[in-house]
Amino acid sequence: MPFVVPLTRREAVERQLREEIVSGMLPAGTVIKDAEVAARLGVSITPVREAIAQLAAEGLIDIAPNRTRHVTRVTQKNALELIDVMGVLACAGFEWGVHNLTGSHLARLRERLGEFEANLRAGNVTAAGGAGADFSTIVILASGNRELQTHVDLVVARTLRLLALTADSAAWQVWTQGYRETLACLEADDRPGAVARYRQIFVEYRAVVETMLFDQDSAQG
């Protein structure tokens, strides 16, 4: 069995809060209080503060000038900006890595796609988003560019949160169909076709998000 390094308290708190934010369990605008989180998770204040600092760096938590922390509000404007940034980074990595893919990589892509679709059917958008992110990561890492993957990781949690907030059939269909067709191109050894189809996912998803209403937009006026 592979050796798994146990999570530190900070990492455990960070993972728990991230999952709660991404899943919508902690809605946008929710105030995050160090002492309450520490008591709920059974840890001291220090790992909670460290975890909140990391999640703030990822854009999941806003820290106001008065030091009040709350779950970041998602407006249509910043949702579209996030899609644009994620698209540029992910598509660059996908294009650089696609020609290094082996049969083993394709098998892992099929596995992640299966997990992605199975979790969607089960209504588990957090797990589905993770499997979907892994689909892209497999190809990006094949490029050998670790620096790019680091930057992708910085926005992936925010992207997963956006997916959780827009978990209707039309939005998810863009990703399921896009991943299926991208994989089909790869299995046919049509690497340029796979890159083009992967890029199209972000174009189509952006168009879907442009048609959605975001309550926070009107609230922030």
Side-chain angles (χ1 to χ4, degrees):
M1 294 179 63
F3 176 72
V4 178
V5 178
L7 294 175
T8 65
R9 286 183 173 83
R10 177 194 63 77
E11 291 170 335
V13 173
E14 182 183 315
R15 174 181 291 183
Q16 180 65 29
L17 288 178
R18 184 184 292 109
E19 289 180 354
E20 291 178 0
I21 293 171
V22 168
S23 68
M25 186 182 301
L26 291 177
T30 299
V31 175
I32 306 295
K33 296 181 178 180
D34 298 355
E36 289 181 358
V37 174
R40 176 163 64 88
L41 300 182
V43 297
S44 66
I45 291 289
T46 299
V48 172
R49 288 176 175 168
E50 292 173 345
I52 288 174
Q54 174 58 35
L55 295 175
E58 294 178 10
L60 294 177
I61 291 177
D62 280 337
I63 301 178
N66 64 1
R67 305 303 295 170
T68 299
R69 288 95 164 215
H70 62 267
V71 177
T72 304
R73 297 182 184 278
V74 177
T75 65
Q76 186 180 68
K77 180 177 184 294
N78 61 39
L80 294 175
E81 290 173 346
L82 179 58
I83 293 170
D84 290 342
V85 171
M86 188 64 185
V88 169
L89 293 174
C91 289
F94 196 94
E95 185 170 10
W96 295 344
V98 73
H99 296 289
N100 297 329
L101 296 179
T102 64
S104 176
H105 287 113
L106 296 184
R108 288 164 56 201
L109 288 171
R110 284 190 291 271
E111 181 180 352
R112 293 298 179 272
L113 178 56
E115 293 173 358
F116 178 61
E117 295 180 324
N119 282 304
L120 280 182
R121 288 192 296 271
N124 189 340
V125 293
T126 302
D134 285 347
F135 185 96
S136 298
T137 297
I138 289 168
V139 184
I140 295 171
L141 287 178
S143 72
N145 191 320
R146 299 286 174 172
E147 182 67 21
L148 177 60
Q149 183 59 45
T150 297
H151 287 288
V152 172
D153 287 342
L154 290 175
V155 295
V156 70
R158 298 173 69 188
T159 303
L160 294 181
R161 181 184 173 212
L162 176 61
L163 291 172
L165 290 174
T166 58
D168 59 35
S169 58
W172 284 109
Q173 181 63 26
V174 170
W175 294 90
T176 54
Q177 188 66 27
Y179 283 153
R180 287 189 202 121
E181 294 179 1
T182 297
L183 182 57
C185 289
L186 291 173
E187 290 176 328
D189 202 28
D190 180 6
R191 307 300 168 105
V195 172
R197 185 62 187 91
Y198 184 77
R199 287 185 181 280
Q200 188 63 25
I201 294 173
F202 291 90
V203 175
E204 294 174 2
Y205 188 63
R206 194 183 199 282
V208 170
V209 173
E210 283 182 323
T211 69
M212 294 177 176
L213 296 177
F214 285 70
D215 292 339
Q216 293 90 343
D217 288 324
S218 57
Q220 293 180 352

PDB file of all heavy atoms in Angstrom, residues 45-82:
ATOM      1  N   ILE A  45      -6.867  27.663  18.061  1.00  0.00           N
ATOM      2  CA  ILE A  45      -7.079  28.817  17.186  1.00  0.00           C
ATOM      3  C   ILE A  45      -6.009  28.902  16.094  1.00  0.00           C
ATOM      4  O   ILE A  45      -6.295  29.257  14.952  1.00  0.00           O
ATOM      5  CB  ILE A  45      -7.064  30.127  18.004  1.00  0.00           C
ATOM      6  CG1 ILE A  45      -8.310  30.207  18.897  1.00  0.00           C
ATOM      7  CG2 ILE A  45      -6.988  31.349  17.095  1.00  0.00           C
ATOM      8  CD1 ILE A  45      -9.588  30.449  18.138  1.00  0.00           C
ATOM      9  N   THR A  46      -4.765  28.547  16.430  1.00  0.00           N
ATOM     10  CA  THR A  46      -3.648  28.745  15.487  1.00  0.00           C
ATOM     11  C   THR A  46      -3.848  28.043  14.144  1.00  0.00           C
ATOM     12  O   THR A  46      -3.733  28.691  13.091  1.00  0.00           O
ATOM     13  CB  THR A  46      -2.320  28.314  16.118  1.00  0.00           C
ATOM     14  OG1 THR A  46      -2.070  29.123  17.280  1.00  0.00           O
ATOM     15  CG2 THR A  46      -1.175  28.487  15.136  1.00  0.00           C
ATOM     16  N   PRO A  47      -4.137  26.732  14.080  1.00  0.00           N
ATOM     17  CA  PRO A  47      -4.331  26.106  12.765  1.00  0.00           C
ATOM     18  C   PRO A  47      -5.538  26.660  12.013  1.00  0.00           C
ATOM     19  O   PRO A  47      -5.542  26.683  10.780  1.00  0.00           O
ATOM     20  CB  PRO A  47      -4.510  24.623  13.098  1.00  0.00           C
ATOM     21  CG  PRO A  47      -4.907  24.583  14.537  1.00  0.00           C
ATOM     22  CD  PRO A  47      -4.210  25.748  15.168  1.00  0.00           C
ATOM     23  N   VAL A  48      -6.533  27.138  12.748  1.00  0.00           N
ATOM     24  CA  VAL A  48      -7.698  27.743  12.093  1.00  0.00           C
ATOM     25  C   VAL A  48      -7.279  29.036  11.394  1.00  0.00           C
ATOM     26  O   VAL A  48      -7.631  29.269  10.233  1.00  0.00           O
ATOM     27  CB  VAL A  48      -8.827  28.027  13.114  1.00  0.00           C
ATOM     28  CG1 VAL A  48      -9.943  28.836  12.459  1.00  0.00           C
ATOM     29  CG2 VAL A  48      -9.376  26.719  13.664  1.00  0.00           C
ATOM     30  N   ARG A  49      -6.528  29.868  12.075  1.00  0.00           N
ATOM     31  CA  ARG A  49      -6.067  31.126  11.484  1.00  0.00           C
ATOM     32  C   ARG A  49      -5.166  30.871  10.280  1.00  0.00           C
ATOM     33  O   ARG A  49      -5.245  31.574   9.272  1.00  0.00           O
ATOM     34  CB  ARG A  49      -5.345  31.963  12.533  1.00  0.00           C
ATOM     35  CG  ARG A  49      -6.279  32.551  13.578  1.00  0.00           C
ATOM     36  CD  ARG A  49      -5.536  33.304  14.658  1.00  0.00           C
ATOM     37  NE  ARG A  49      -6.475  33.952  15.578  1.00  0.00           N
ATOM     38  CZ  ARG A  49      -6.132  34.491  16.747  1.00  0.00           C
ATOM     39  NH1 ARG A  49      -4.857  34.460  17.140  1.00  0.00           N
ATOM     40  NH2 ARG A  49      -7.034  35.057  17.517  1.00  0.00           N
ATOM     41  N   GLU A  50      -4.301  29.871  10.387  1.00  0.00           N
ATOM     42  CA  GLU A  50      -3.415  29.534   9.268  1.00  0.00           C
ATOM     43  C   GLU A  50      -4.219  29.028   8.073  1.00  0.00           C
ATOM     44  O   GLU A  50      -3.928  29.377   6.923  1.00  0.00           O
ATOM     45  CB  GLU A  50      -2.404  28.475   9.708  1.00  0.00           C
ATOM     46  CG  GLU A  50      -1.398  28.985  10.730  1.00  0.00           C
ATOM     47  CD  GLU A  50      -0.521  27.879  11.281  1.00  0.00           C
ATOM     48  OE1 GLU A  50      -0.868  26.681  11.085  1.00  0.00           O
ATOM     49  OE2 GLU A  50       0.521  28.190  11.895  1.00  0.00           O
ATOM     50  N   ALA A  51      -5.232  28.225   8.336  1.00  0.00           N
ATOM     51  CA  ALA A  51      -6.074  27.697   7.260  1.00  0.00           C
ATOM     52  C   ALA A  51      -6.860  28.815   6.589  1.00  0.00           C
ATOM     53  O   ALA A  51      -6.980  28.864   5.360  1.00  0.00           O
ATOM     54  CB  ALA A  51      -7.032  26.644   7.812  1.00  0.00           C
ATOM     55  N   ILE A  52      -7.399  29.730   7.389  1.00  0.00           N
ATOM     56  CA  ILE A  52      -8.157  30.851   6.843  1.00  0.00           C
ATOM     57  C   ILE A  52      -7.262  31.728   5.973  1.00  0.00           C
ATOM     58  O   ILE A  52      -7.678  32.207   4.913  1.00  0.00           O
ATOM     59  CB  ILE A  52      -8.800  31.668   7.977  1.00  0.00           C
ATOM     60  CG1 ILE A  52      -9.953  30.871   8.596  1.00  0.00           C
ATOM     61  CG2 ILE A  52      -9.292  33.017   7.477  1.00  0.00           C
ATOM     62  CD1 ILE A  52     -10.575  31.521   9.821  1.00  0.00           C
ATOM     63  N   ALA A  53      -6.023  31.925   6.401  1.00  0.00           N
ATOM     64  CA  ALA A  53      -5.084  32.725   5.601  1.00  0.00           C
ATOM     65  C   ALA A  53      -4.855  32.079   4.236  1.00  0.00           C
ATOM     66  O   ALA A  53      -4.811  32.766   3.203  1.00  0.00           O
ATOM     67  CB  ALA A  53      -3.760  32.884   6.346  1.00  0.00           C
ATOM     68  N   GLN A  54      -4.729  30.753   4.191  1.00  0.00           N
ATOM     69  CA  GLN A  54      -4.531  30.056   2.933  1.00  0.00           C
ATOM     70  C   GLN A  54      -5.772  30.164   2.047  1.00  0.00           C
ATOM     71  O   GLN A  54      -5.679  30.408   0.837  1.00  0.00           O
ATOM     72  CB  GLN A  54      -4.200  28.584   3.187  1.00  0.00           C
ATOM     73  CG  GLN A  54      -4.105  27.730   1.924  1.00  0.00           C
ATOM     74  CD  GLN A  54      -3.071  28.225   0.932  1.00  0.00           C
ATOM     75  OE1 GLN A  54      -2.021  28.736   1.332  1.00  0.00           O
ATOM     76  NE2 GLN A  54      -3.354  28.081  -0.363  1.00  0.00           N
ATOM     77  N   LEU A  55      -6.949  29.983   2.635  1.00  0.00           N
ATOM     78  CA  LEU A  55      -8.185  30.056   1.860  1.00  0.00           C
ATOM     79  C   LEU A  55      -8.448  31.480   1.367  1.00  0.00           C
ATOM     80  O   LEU A  55      -9.043  31.670   0.304  1.00  0.00           O
ATOM     81  CB  LEU A  55      -9.362  29.551   2.694  1.00  0.00           C
ATOM     82  CG  LEU A  55      -9.285  28.062   3.064  1.00  0.00           C
ATOM     83  CD1 LEU A  55     -10.436  27.678   3.993  1.00  0.00           C
ATOM     84  CD2 LEU A  55      -9.292  27.189   1.818  1.00  0.00           C
ATOM     85  N   ALA A  56      -7.973  32.462   2.118  1.00  0.00           N
ATOM     86  CA  ALA A  56      -8.070  33.847   1.660  1.00  0.00           C
ATOM     87  C   ALA A  56      -7.167  34.062   0.448  1.00  0.00           C
ATOM     88  O   ALA A  56      -7.537  34.751  -0.509  1.00  0.00           O
ATOM     89  CB  ALA A  56      -7.692  34.803   2.787  1.00  0.00           C
ATOM     90  N   ALA A  57      -5.979  33.446   0.482  1.00  0.00           N
ATOM     91  CA  ALA A  57      -5.062  33.549  -0.658  1.00  0.00           C
ATOM     92  C   ALA A  57      -5.658  32.902  -1.903  1.00  0.00           C
ATOM     93  O   ALA A  57      -5.392  33.328  -3.030  1.00  0.00           O
ATOM     94  CB  ALA A  57      -3.726  32.904  -0.313  1.00  0.00           C
ATOM     95  N   GLU A  58      -6.483  31.863  -1.705  1.00  0.00           N
ATOM     96  CA  GLU A  58      -7.139  31.188  -2.830  1.00  0.00           C
ATOM     97  C   GLU A  58      -8.378  31.938  -3.304  1.00  0.00           C
ATOM     98  O   GLU A  58      -8.971  31.579  -4.312  1.00  0.00           O
ATOM     99  CB  GLU A  58      -7.538  29.771  -2.417  1.00  0.00           C
ATOM    100  CG  GLU A  58      -6.368  28.862  -2.134  1.00  0.00           C
ATOM    101  CD  GLU A  58      -6.805  27.479  -1.675  1.00  0.00           C
ATOM    102  OE1 GLU A  58      -8.026  27.168  -1.758  1.00  0.00           O
ATOM    103  OE2 GLU A  58      -5.943  26.698  -1.235  1.00  0.00           O
ATOM    104  N   GLY A  59      -8.779  32.969  -2.560  1.00  0.00           N
ATOM    105  CA  GLY A  59      -9.950  33.732  -2.952  1.00  0.00           C
ATOM    106  C   GLY A  59     -11.268  33.181  -2.462  1.00  0.00           C
ATOM    107  O   GLY A  59     -12.328  33.651  -2.863  1.00  0.00           O
ATOM    108  N   LEU A  60     -11.228  32.198  -1.563  1.00  0.00           N
ATOM    109  CA  LEU A  60     -12.460  31.609  -1.048  1.00  0.00           C
ATOM    110  C   LEU A  60     -13.001  32.378   0.160  1.00  0.00           C
ATOM    111  O   LEU A  60     -14.198  32.313   0.452  1.00  0.00           O
ATOM    112  CB  LEU A  60     -12.228  30.149  -0.660  1.00  0.00           C
ATOM    113  CG  LEU A  60     -11.914  29.192  -1.817  1.00  0.00           C
ATOM    114  CD1 LEU A  60     -11.648  27.799  -1.272  1.00  0.00           C
ATOM    115  CD2 LEU A  60     -13.047  29.163  -2.829  1.00  0.00           C
ATOM    116  N   ILE A  61     -12.121  33.075   0.870  1.00  0.00           N
ATOM    117  CA  ILE A  61     -12.525  33.855   2.034  1.00  0.00           C
ATOM    118  C   ILE A  61     -12.007  35.282   1.861  1.00  0.00           C
ATOM    119  O   ILE A  61     -10.854  35.483   1.461  1.00  0.00           O
ATOM    120  CB  ILE A  61     -11.964  33.238   3.338  1.00  0.00           C
ATOM    121  CG1 ILE A  61     -12.653  31.900   3.622  1.00  0.00           C
ATOM    122  CG2 ILE A  61     -12.154  34.190   4.517  1.00  0.00           C
ATOM    123  CD1 ILE A  61     -12.111  31.172   4.849  1.00  0.00           C
ATOM    124  N   ASP A  62     -12.872  36.252   2.144  1.00  0.00           N
ATOM    125  CA  ASP A  62     -12.483  37.663   2.124  1.00  0.00           C
ATOM    126  C   ASP A  62     -12.187  38.119   3.540  1.00  0.00           C
ATOM    127  O   ASP A  62     -12.927  37.775   4.479  1.00  0.00           O
ATOM    128  CB  ASP A  62     -13.605  38.533   1.544  1.00  0.00           C
ATOM    129  CG  ASP A  62     -13.642  38.499   0.025  1.00  0.00           C
ATOM    130  OD1 ASP A  62     -12.592  38.192  -0.576  1.00  0.00           O
ATOM    131  OD2 ASP A  62     -14.707  38.782  -0.545  1.00  0.00           O
ATOM    132  N   ILE A  63     -11.126  38.891   3.697  1.00  0.00           N
ATOM    133  CA  ILE A  63     -10.787  39.464   4.997  1.00  0.00           C
ATOM    134  C   ILE A  63     -10.944  40.976   4.884  1.00  0.00           C
ATOM    135  O   ILE A  63     -10.214  41.638   4.148  1.00  0.00           O
ATOM    136  CB  ILE A  63      -9.358  39.095   5.424  1.00  0.00           C
ATOM    137  CG1 ILE A  63      -9.201  37.570   5.497  1.00  0.00           C
ATOM    138  CG2 ILE A  63      -9.020  39.731   6.768  1.00  0.00           C
ATOM    139  CD1 ILE A  63      -7.803  37.108   5.865  1.00  0.00           C
ATOM    140  N   ALA A  64     -11.928  41.519   5.609  1.00  0.00           N
ATOM    141  CA  ALA A  64     -12.230  42.947   5.550  1.00  0.00           C
ATOM    142  C   ALA A  64     -11.182  43.747   6.319  1.00  0.00           C
ATOM    143  O   ALA A  64     -10.435  43.190   7.138  1.00  0.00           O
ATOM    144  CB  ALA A  64     -13.625  43.197   6.134  1.00  0.00           C
ATOM    145  N   PRO A  65     -11.119  45.074   6.086  1.00  0.00           N
ATOM    146  CA  PRO A  65     -10.147  45.905   6.815  1.00  0.00           C
ATOM    147  C   PRO A  65     -10.282  45.794   8.332  1.00  0.00           C
ATOM    148  O   PRO A  65      -9.305  45.938   9.052  1.00  0.00           O
ATOM    149  CB  PRO A  65     -10.492  47.319   6.332  1.00  0.00           C
ATOM    150  CG  PRO A  65     -11.038  47.110   4.952  1.00  0.00           C
ATOM    151  CD  PRO A  65     -11.823  45.830   5.036  1.00  0.00           C
ATOM    152  N   ASN A  66     -11.517  45.516   8.807  1.00  0.00           N
ATOM    153  CA  ASN A  66     -11.703  45.363  10.254  1.00  0.00           C
ATOM    154  C   ASN A  66     -11.415  43.945  10.729  1.00  0.00           C
ATOM    155  O   ASN A  66     -11.712  43.585  11.864  1.00  0.00           O
ATOM    156  CB  ASN A  66     -13.119  45.768  10.656  1.00  0.00           C
ATOM    157  CG  ASN A  66     -14.175  44.848  10.036  1.00  0.00           C
ATOM    158  OD1 ASN A  66     -13.855  43.899   9.324  1.00  0.00           O
ATOM    159  ND2 ASN A  66     -15.437  45.155  10.310  1.00  0.00           N
ATOM    160  N   ARG A  67     -10.844  43.128   9.831  1.00  0.00           N
ATOM    161  CA  ARG A  67     -10.424  41.748  10.088  1.00  0.00           C
ATOM    162  C   ARG A  67     -11.577  40.757  10.127  1.00  0.00           C
ATOM    163  O   ARG A  67     -11.374  39.574  10.415  1.00  0.00           O
ATOM    164  CB  ARG A  67      -9.623  41.632  11.396  1.00  0.00           C
ATOM    165  CG  ARG A  67      -8.424  42.550  11.486  1.00  0.00           C
ATOM    166  CD  ARG A  67      -7.465  42.343  10.333  1.00  0.00           C
ATOM    167  NE  ARG A  67      -6.851  41.025  10.339  1.00  0.00           N
ATOM    168  CZ  ARG A  67      -6.123  40.525   9.331  1.00  0.00           C
ATOM    169  NH1 ARG A  67      -5.955  41.235   8.235  1.00  0.00           N
ATOM    170  NH2 ARG A  67      -5.588  39.317   9.429  1.00  0.00           N
ATOM    171  N   THR A  68     -12.799  41.198   9.818  1.00  0.00           N
ATOM    172  CA  THR A  68     -13.911  40.263   9.714  1.00  0.00           C
ATOM    173  C   THR A  68     -13.691  39.361   8.511  1.00  0.00           C
ATOM    174  O   THR A  68     -13.319  39.824   7.435  1.00  0.00           O
ATOM    175  CB  THR A  68     -15.243  41.017   9.549  1.00  0.00           C
ATOM    176  OG1 THR A  68     -15.453  41.830  10.698  1.00  0.00           O
ATOM    177  CG2 THR A  68     -16.405  40.042   9.399  1.00  0.00           C
ATOM    178  N   ARG A  69     -13.891  38.058   8.703  1.00  0.00           N
ATOM    179  CA  ARG A  69     -13.720  37.111   7.596  1.00  0.00           C
ATOM    180  C   ARG A  69     -15.075  36.582   7.168  1.00  0.00           C
ATOM    181  O   ARG A  69     -15.904  36.233   8.016  1.00  0.00           O
ATOM    182  CB  ARG A  69     -12.855  35.918   8.023  1.00  0.00           C
ATOM    183  CG  ARG A  69     -11.394  36.248   8.189  1.00  0.00           C
ATOM    184  CD  ARG A  69     -11.016  36.577   9.573  1.00  0.00           C
ATOM    185  NE  ARG A  69      -9.567  36.511   9.751  1.00  0.00           N
ATOM    186  CZ  ARG A  69      -9.004  36.102  10.848  1.00  0.00           C
ATOM    187  NH1 ARG A  69      -9.726  35.709  11.864  1.00  0.00           N
ATOM    188  NH2 ARG A  69      -7.684  36.082  10.950  1.00  0.00           N
ATOM    189  N   HIS A  70     -15.304  36.502   5.876  1.00  0.00           N
ATOM    190  CA  HIS A  70     -16.543  35.911   5.387  1.00  0.00           C
ATOM    191  C   HIS A  70     -16.293  35.196   4.069  1.00  0.00           C
ATOM    192  O   HIS A  70     -15.321  35.495   3.359  1.00  0.00           O
ATOM    193  CB  HIS A  70     -17.636  36.968   5.218  1.00  0.00           C
ATOM    194  CG  HIS A  70     -17.299  38.038   4.223  1.00  0.00           C
ATOM    195  ND1 HIS A  70     -16.703  39.233   4.576  1.00  0.00           N
ATOM    196  CD2 HIS A  70     -17.477  38.098   2.874  1.00  0.00           C
ATOM    197  CE1 HIS A  70     -16.523  39.980   3.497  1.00  0.00           C
ATOM    198  NE2 HIS A  70     -16.977  39.310   2.452  1.00  0.00           N
ATOM    199  N   VAL A  71     -17.156  34.238   3.764  1.00  0.00           N
ATOM    200  CA  VAL A  71     -17.041  33.491   2.509  1.00  0.00           C
ATOM    201  C   VAL A  71     -17.239  34.455   1.349  1.00  0.00           C
ATOM    202  O   VAL A  71     -18.194  35.234   1.323  1.00  0.00           O
ATOM    203  CB  VAL A  71     -18.085  32.356   2.456  1.00  0.00           C
ATOM    204  CG1 VAL A  71     -18.000  31.631   1.113  1.00  0.00           C
ATOM    205  CG2 VAL A  71     -17.870  31.380   3.607  1.00  0.00           C
ATOM    206  N   THR A  72     -16.326  34.417   0.400  1.00  0.00           N
ATOM    207  CA  THR A  72     -16.345  35.340  -0.726  1.00  0.00           C
ATOM    208  C   THR A  72     -17.651  35.251  -1.502  1.00  0.00           C
ATOM    209  O   THR A  72     -18.151  34.164  -1.790  1.00  0.00           O
ATOM    210  CB  THR A  72     -15.177  35.035  -1.683  1.00  0.00           C
ATOM    211  OG1 THR A  72     -13.954  35.094  -0.957  1.00  0.00           O
ATOM    212  CG2 THR A  72     -15.137  36.026  -2.833  1.00  0.00           C
ATOM    213  N   ARG A  73     -18.195  36.404  -1.843  1.00  0.00           N
ATOM    214  CA  ARG A  73     -19.396  36.457  -2.677  1.00  0.00           C
ATOM    215  C   ARG A  73     -18.996  36.271  -4.137  1.00  0.00           C
ATOM    216  O   ARG A  73     -17.994  36.826  -4.588  1.00  0.00           O
ATOM    217  CB  ARG A  73     -20.131  37.783  -2.505  1.00  0.00           C
ATOM    218  CG  ARG A  73     -20.647  38.018  -1.094  1.00  0.00           C
ATOM    219  CD  ARG A  73     -21.416  39.327  -1.003  1.00  0.00           C
ATOM    220  NE  ARG A  73     -21.842  39.601   0.359  1.00  0.00           N
ATOM    221  CZ  ARG A  73     -22.926  39.084   0.922  1.00  0.00           C
ATOM    222  NH1 ARG A  73     -23.703  38.279   0.215  1.00  0.00           N
ATOM    223  NH2 ARG A  73     -23.250  39.380   2.167  1.00  0.00           N
ATOM    224  N   VAL A  74     -19.796  35.520  -4.876  1.00  0.00           N
ATOM    225  CA  VAL A  74     -19.521  35.281  -6.293  1.00  0.00           C
ATOM    226  C   VAL A  74     -20.503  36.097  -7.122  1.00  0.00           C
ATOM    227  O   VAL A  74     -21.710  35.894  -7.046  1.00  0.00           O
ATOM    228  CB  VAL A  74     -19.660  33.787  -6.650  1.00  0.00           C
ATOM    229  CG1 VAL A  74     -19.445  33.579  -8.148  1.00  0.00           C
ATOM    230  CG2 VAL A  74     -18.670  32.961  -5.850  1.00  0.00           C
ATOM    231  N   THR A  75     -19.994  37.040  -7.896  1.00  0.00           N
ATOM    232  CA  THR A  75     -20.817  37.808  -8.825  1.00  0.00           C
ATOM    233  C   THR A  75     -20.590  37.252 -10.228  1.00  0.00           C
ATOM    234  O   THR A  75     -19.632  36.513 -10.481  1.00  0.00           O
ATOM    235  CB  THR A  75     -20.441  39.292  -8.810  1.00  0.00           C
ATOM    236  OG1 THR A  75     -19.103  39.439  -9.311  1.00  0.00           O
ATOM    237  CG2 THR A  75     -20.507  39.856  -7.389  1.00  0.00           C
ATOM    238  N   GLN A  76     -21.458  37.621 -11.147  1.00  0.00           N
ATOM    239  CA  GLN A  76     -21.274  37.157 -12.513  1.00  0.00           C
ATOM    240  C   GLN A  76     -19.961  37.681 -13.085  1.00  0.00           C
ATOM    241  O   GLN A  76     -19.256  36.962 -13.795  1.00  0.00           O
ATOM    242  CB  GLN A  76     -22.436  37.598 -13.402  1.00  0.00           C
ATOM    243  CG  GLN A  76     -22.349  36.996 -14.804  1.00  0.00           C
ATOM    244  CD  GLN A  76     -23.492  37.425 -15.691  1.00  0.00           C
ATOM    245  OE1 GLN A  76     -23.579  38.592 -16.055  1.00  0.00           O
ATOM    246  NE2 GLN A  76     -24.367  36.495 -16.036  1.00  0.00           N
ATOM    247  N   LYS A  77     -19.599  38.918 -12.752  1.00  0.00           N
ATOM    248  CA  LYS A  77     -18.365  39.502 -13.267  1.00  0.00           C
ATOM    249  C   LYS A  77     -17.153  38.692 -12.836  1.00  0.00           C
ATOM    250  O   LYS A  77     -16.321  38.318 -13.667  1.00  0.00           O
ATOM    251  CB  LYS A  77     -18.225  40.945 -12.793  1.00  0.00           C
ATOM    252  CG  LYS A  77     -16.951  41.642 -13.293  1.00  0.00           C
ATOM    253  CD  LYS A  77     -16.930  43.093 -12.838  1.00  0.00           C
ATOM    254  CE  LYS A  77     -15.718  43.830 -13.404  1.00  0.00           C
ATOM    255  NZ  LYS A  77     -14.444  43.294 -12.862  1.00  0.00           N
ATOM    256  N   ASN A  78     -17.031  38.404 -11.524  1.00  0.00           N
ATOM    257  CA  ASN A  78     -15.832  37.667 -11.120  1.00  0.00           C
ATOM    258  C   ASN A  78     -15.920  36.202 -11.514  1.00  0.00           C
ATOM    259  O   ASN A  78     -14.897  35.541 -11.670  1.00  0.00           O
ATOM    260  CB  ASN A  78     -15.501  37.851  -9.631  1.00  0.00           C
ATOM    261  CG  ASN A  78     -16.563  37.372  -8.687  1.00  0.00           C
ATOM    262  OD1 ASN A  78     -17.194  36.342  -8.913  1.00  0.00           O
ATOM    263  ND2 ASN A  78     -16.772  38.113  -7.609  1.00  0.00           N
ATOM    264  N   ALA A  79     -17.134  35.681 -11.719  1.00  0.00           N
ATOM    265  CA  ALA A  79     -17.261  34.314 -12.222  1.00  0.00           C
ATOM    266  C   ALA A  79     -16.695  34.217 -13.637  1.00  0.00           C
ATOM    267  O   ALA A  79     -15.936  33.300 -13.965  1.00  0.00           O
ATOM    268  CB  ALA A  79     -18.721  33.877 -12.210  1.00  0.00           C
ATOM    269  N   LEU A  80     -17.051  35.184 -14.481  1.00  0.00           N
ATOM    270  CA  LEU A  80     -16.560  35.181 -15.859  1.00  0.00           C
ATOM    271  C   LEU A  80     -15.050  35.417 -15.902  1.00  0.00           C
ATOM    272  O   LEU A  80     -14.335  34.807 -16.700  1.00  0.00           O
ATOM    273  CB  LEU A  80     -17.289  36.238 -16.685  1.00  0.00           C
ATOM    274  CG  LEU A  80     -18.786  35.990 -16.899  1.00  0.00           C
ATOM    275  CD1 LEU A  80     -19.431  37.172 -17.618  1.00  0.00           C
ATOM    276  CD2 LEU A  80     -19.019  34.711 -17.679  1.00  0.00           C
ATOM    277  N   GLU A  81     -14.563  36.300 -15.033  1.00  0.00           N
ATOM    278  CA  GLU A  81     -13.124  36.537 -14.978  1.00  0.00           C
ATOM    279  C   GLU A  81     -12.380  35.274 -14.568  1.00  0.00           C
ATOM    280  O   GLU A  81     -11.306  34.962 -15.104  1.00  0.00           O
ATOM    281  CB  GLU A  81     -12.826  37.682 -14.003  1.00  0.00           C
ATOM    282  CG  GLU A  81     -13.273  39.042 -14.495  1.00  0.00           C
ATOM    283  CD  GLU A  81     -13.118  40.130 -13.459  1.00  0.00           C
ATOM    284  OE1 GLU A  81     -12.906  39.812 -12.267  1.00  0.00           O
ATOM    285  OE2 GLU A  81     -13.209  41.326 -13.830  1.00  0.00           O
ATOM    286  N   LEU A  82     -12.958  34.541 -13.625  1.00  0.00           N
ATOM    287  CA  LEU A  82     -12.333  33.306 -13.165  1.00  0.00           C
ATOM    288  C   LEU A  82     -12.282  32.269 -14.281  1.00  0.00           C
ATOM    289  O   LEU A  82     -11.275  31.589 -14.468  1.00  0.00           O
ATOM    290  CB  LEU A  82     -13.104  32.756 -11.972  1.00  0.00           C
ATOM    291  CG  LEU A  82     -12.597  31.450 -11.363  1.00  0.00           C
ATOM    292  CD1 LEU A  82     -11.154  31.585 -10.914  1.00  0.00           C
ATOM    293  CD2 LEU A  82     -13.485  31.034 -10.206  1.00  0.00           C
TER     294      LEU A  82
END
